Coordinates of all heavy atoms in Angstrom, one line a residue:
G1 N 43.5 13.0 -40.5 CA 42.1 12.8 -39.7 C 42.0 11.7 -39.0 O 40.8 11.2 -38.7
R2 N 43.1 10.8 -38.8 CA 42.8 9.5 -38.2 C 43.8 9.3 -37.0 O 44.4 8.4 -36.7 CB 43.2 8.3 -39.2 CG 42.4 8.4 -40.5 CD 40.9 8.4 -40.4 NE 40.1 7.2 -40.2 CZ 40.0 6.2 -40.9 NH1 40.7 6.0 -41.9 NH2 39.0 5.3 -40.8
K3 N 43.8 10.3 -36.1 CA 44.6 10.3 -35.0 C 44.4 9.2 -34.2 O 45.3 8.5 -33.6 CB 44.7 11.8 -34.3 CG 45.6 11.8 -33.1 CD 45.8 13.1 -32.4 CE 46.6 13.1 -31.3 NZ 47.7 12.2 -31.1
R4 N 43.2 9.1 -33.8 CA 42.8 8.0 -32.8 C 43.2 6.7 -33.2 O 43.8 5.9 -32.5 CB 41.3 8.1 -32.5 CG 40.7 7.0 -31.5 CD 39.3 7.2 -31.2 NE 38.5 7.2 -32.4 CZ 37.8 6.1 -32.8 NH1 37.9 4.9 -32.1 NH2 37.1 6.1 -33.9
E5 N 42.9 6.4 -34.5 CA 43.2 5.1 -35.1 C 44.8 4.9 -35.2 O 45.3 3.9 -34.9 CB 42.6 4.9 -36.5 CG 41.1 4.8 -36.5 CD 40.4 6.2 -36.6 OE1 41.1 7.2 -36.5 OE2 39.2 6.1 -37.0
A6 N 45.4 6.0 -35.6 CA 47.0 5.9 -35.8 C 47.6 5.7 -34.4 O 48.5 5.0 -34.3 CB 47.4 7.2 -36.4
D7 N 47.1 6.4 -33.4 CA 47.7 6.2 -32.0 C 47.5 4.7 -31.6 O 48.4 4.1 -31.0 CB 47.0 7.2 -31.0 CG 47.5 8.5 -31.2 OD1 48.4 8.9 -32.0 OD2 46.8 9.5 -30.6
A8 N 46.3 4.1 -31.8 CA 46.1 2.8 -31.5 C 47.1 1.8 -32.2 O 47.5 0.8 -31.7 CB 44.7 2.4 -31.6
I9 N 47.2 2.1 -33.4 CA 48.1 1.2 -34.3 C 49.5 1.4 -33.9 O 50.3 0.4 -33.9 CB 48.0 1.6 -35.9 CG1 46.7 1.2 -36.4 CG2 49.2 1.2 -36.7 CD1 46.3 1.8 -37.8
A10 N 49.9 2.5 -33.5 CA 51.3 2.8 -33.1 C 51.6 1.9 -31.8 O 52.8 1.6 -31.5 CB 51.4 4.3 -32.7
E11 N 50.6 1.5 -31.0 CA 50.8 0.8 -29.7 C 50.9 -0.8 -30.1 O 51.3 -1.6 -29.3 CB 49.7 1.0 -28.8 CG 49.6 2.4 -28.3 CD 48.5 2.6 -27.4 OE1 47.8 1.6 -27.0 OE2 48.2 3.8 -27.1
L12 N 50.5 -1.1 -31.3 CA 50.4 -2.6 -31.6 C 51.7 -3.3 -31.5 O 51.7 -4.5 -31.0 CB 49.7 -2.9 -33.1 CG 48.2 -2.5 -33.1 CD1 47.7 -2.7 -34.5 CD2 47.5 -3.5 -32.2
P13 N 52.8 -2.7 -31.9 CA 54.1 -3.5 -31.9 C 54.6 -3.9 -30.5 O 55.4 -4.7 -30.4 CB 55.1 -2.6 -32.6 CG 54.2 -1.9 -33.6 CD 52.9 -1.5 -32.7
A14 N 54.1 -3.3 -29.6 CA 54.7 -3.4 -28.1 C 54.2 -4.8 -27.7 O 55.0 -5.6 -27.1 CB 54.0 -2.4 -27.2
G15 N 53.1 -5.4 -28.1 CA 52.7 -6.8 -27.8 C 53.8 -7.9 -28.3 O 54.3 -8.6 -27.7
P16 N 54.0 -7.9 -29.7 CA 54.8 -8.8 -30.2 C 56.2 -8.7 -29.7 O 56.9 -9.6 -29.5 CB 54.7 -8.7 -31.6 CG 53.3 -8.1 -31.8 CD 53.2 -7.2 -30.6
R17 N 56.6 -7.5 -29.5 CA 58.0 -7.3 -29.0 C 58.1 -7.8 -27.6 O 59.3 -8.2 -27.2 CB 58.4 -5.7 -29.0 CG 58.5 -5.2 -30.3 CD 59.3 -3.9 -30.4 NE 59.2 -3.2 -31.7 CZ 59.9 -3.6 -32.8 NH1 60.7 -4.5 -32.7 NH2 59.7 -2.9 -33.8
A18 N 57.0 -7.9 -26.8 CA 57.0 -8.5 -25.5 C 56.7 -9.9 -25.5 O 56.5 -10.6 -24.4 CB 56.1 -7.8 -24.7
G19 N 56.5 -10.7 -26.7 CA 56.2 -12.1 -26.9 C 54.7 -12.4 -27.0 O 54.5 -13.6 -27.0
T20 N 54.0 -11.5 -27.3 CA 52.5 -11.7 -27.3 C 52.1 -11.4 -28.9 O 52.5 -10.4 -29.5 CB 51.6 -10.7 -26.6 OG1 52.2 -10.8 -25.2 CG2 50.2 -11.2 -26.5
S21 N 51.5 -12.4 -29.6 CA 51.1 -12.1 -30.8 C 49.9 -11.0 -31.0 O 49.3 -11.0 -30.1 CB 50.7 -13.5 -31.6 OG 49.6 -14.0 -31.0
S22 N 49.7 -10.7 -32.2 CA 48.7 -9.7 -32.3 C 48.3 -9.7 -33.8 O 49.0 -10.2 -34.7 CB 48.8 -8.3 -31.9 OG 50.0 -7.7 -32.7
S23 N 47.1 -9.1 -34.2 CA 46.7 -9.0 -35.6 C 45.9 -7.6 -35.6 O 45.4 -7.1 -34.7 CB 46.0 -10.2 -36.0 OG 44.7 -10.2 -35.3
L24 N 45.8 -7.2 -36.9 CA 45.1 -5.9 -37.2 C 44.1 -6.2 -38.3 O 44.5 -6.7 -39.4 CB 46.0 -4.8 -37.5 CG 45.3 -3.5 -37.9 CD1 44.5 -2.8 -36.9 CD2 46.4 -2.5 -38.4
V25 N 42.9 -6.0 -38.2 CA 41.9 -6.3 -39.1 C 41.1 -4.9 -39.3 O 40.6 -4.3 -38.3 CB 40.8 -7.4 -38.8 CG1 39.7 -7.4 -39.9 CG2 41.5 -8.7 -38.7
L26 N 41.1 -4.4 -40.5 CA 40.3 -3.1 -40.8 C 39.2 -3.5 -41.8 O 39.4 -4.2 -42.7 CB 41.2 -2.2 -41.6 CG 42.6 -1.8 -40.8 CD1 43.3 -0.8 -41.7 CD2 42.1 -0.9 -39.4
R27 N 38.1 -2.9 -41.5 CA 36.9 -3.1 -42.4 C 36.2 -1.7 -42.5 O 36.3 -0.8 -41.6 CB 36.0 -4.1 -41.9 CG 35.3 -3.8 -40.6 CD 34.3 -4.9 -40.2 NE 33.0 -4.6 -40.5 CZ 31.9 -5.1 -40.0 NH1 32.1 -6.1 -39.2 NH2 30.7 -4.7 -40.3
G28 N 35.5 -1.5 -43.6 CA 34.8 -0.2 -43.9 C 34.6 -0.1 -45.3 O 35.0 -0.8 -46.2
E29 N 33.9 0.9 -45.6 CA 33.4 1.3 -47.0 C 34.7 1.7 -47.8 O 35.7 2.0 -47.3 CB 32.5 2.4 -47.1 CG 31.2 2.1 -46.3 CD 30.3 1.0 -47.0 OE1 30.3 0.9 -48.2 OE2 29.9 0.1 -46.2
P30 N 34.6 1.5 -49.2 CA 35.8 1.8 -50.0 C 36.0 3.4 -49.9 O 35.1 4.1 -49.8 CB 35.2 1.5 -51.4 CG 34.1 0.4 -51.3 CD 33.6 0.8 -49.9
G31 N 37.3 3.7 -49.8 CA 37.7 5.1 -49.9 C 37.7 5.7 -48.6 O 37.9 7.0 -48.5
I32 N 37.6 5.0 -47.5 CA 37.7 5.8 -46.2 C 39.1 5.8 -45.6 O 39.3 6.2 -44.5 CB 36.6 5.1 -45.2 CG1 37.1 3.6 -44.8 CG2 35.3 5.2 -45.6 CD1 36.4 3.0 -43.6
G33 N 40.0 5.2 -46.2 CA 41.4 5.3 -45.7 C 42.1 4.1 -45.2 O 43.0 4.1 -44.3
K34 N 41.6 2.9 -45.4 CA 42.0 1.6 -44.7 C 43.5 1.4 -45.3 O 44.4 1.1 -44.5 CB 41.1 0.5 -45.2 CG 39.7 0.6 -44.6 CD 38.8 -0.7 -44.9 CE 38.6 -0.7 -46.4 NZ 37.8 0.2 -47.1
T35 N 43.7 1.6 -46.5 CA 45.1 1.4 -47.0 C 46.1 2.3 -46.4 O 47.2 1.9 -46.1 CB 45.1 1.6 -48.5 OG1 44.2 0.5 -49.1 CG2 46.5 1.3 -49.2
A36 N 45.7 3.5 -46.2 CA 46.6 4.5 -45.6 C 46.9 4.0 -44.1 O 48.1 4.2 -43.6 CB 46.0 5.9 -45.5
L37 N 45.9 3.6 -43.5 CA 46.0 3.0 -42.0 C 47.0 1.7 -42.1 O 47.8 1.6 -41.2 CB 44.7 2.7 -41.4 CG 43.9 3.9 -40.9 CD1 42.5 3.4 -40.5 CD2 44.6 4.6 -39.8
L38 N 46.8 0.9 -43.0 CA 47.6 -0.3 -43.2 C 49.1 0.1 -43.5 O 50.1 -0.4 -43.0 CB 47.2 -1.2 -44.3 CG 46.0 -2.0 -43.9 CD1 45.5 -2.7 -45.1 CD2 46.2 -3.0 -42.7
D39 N 49.3 1.1 -44.3 CA 50.7 1.8 -44.5 C 51.3 2.2 -43.3 O 52.3 2.0 -43.1 CB 50.5 2.8 -45.6 CG 50.3 2.3 -47.1 OD1 50.4 1.0 -47.2 OD2 49.9 3.1 -47.9

């Protein structure tokens, strides 16, 4: 149920591989799947 978020996360490694740093911060209520997105 997190296709949009998963697609955005899948694009994140492209920046650092090209020499640009990046970070990912997730926030939200407990139990909404933040840990699954981090995995």
Side-chain angles (χ1 to χ4, degrees):
R2 300 314 271 301
K3 179 167 178 31
R4 182 175 55 97
E5 294 92 341
D7 288 349
I9 287 169
E11 295 175 14
L12 288 176
R17 290 194 192 284
T20 307
S21 65
S22 69
S23 62
L24 172 65
V25 177
L26 299 175
R27 65 179 257 203
E29 297 297 319
I32 64 166
K34 295 179 301 293
T35 300
L37 287 170
L38 288 173
D39 291 342

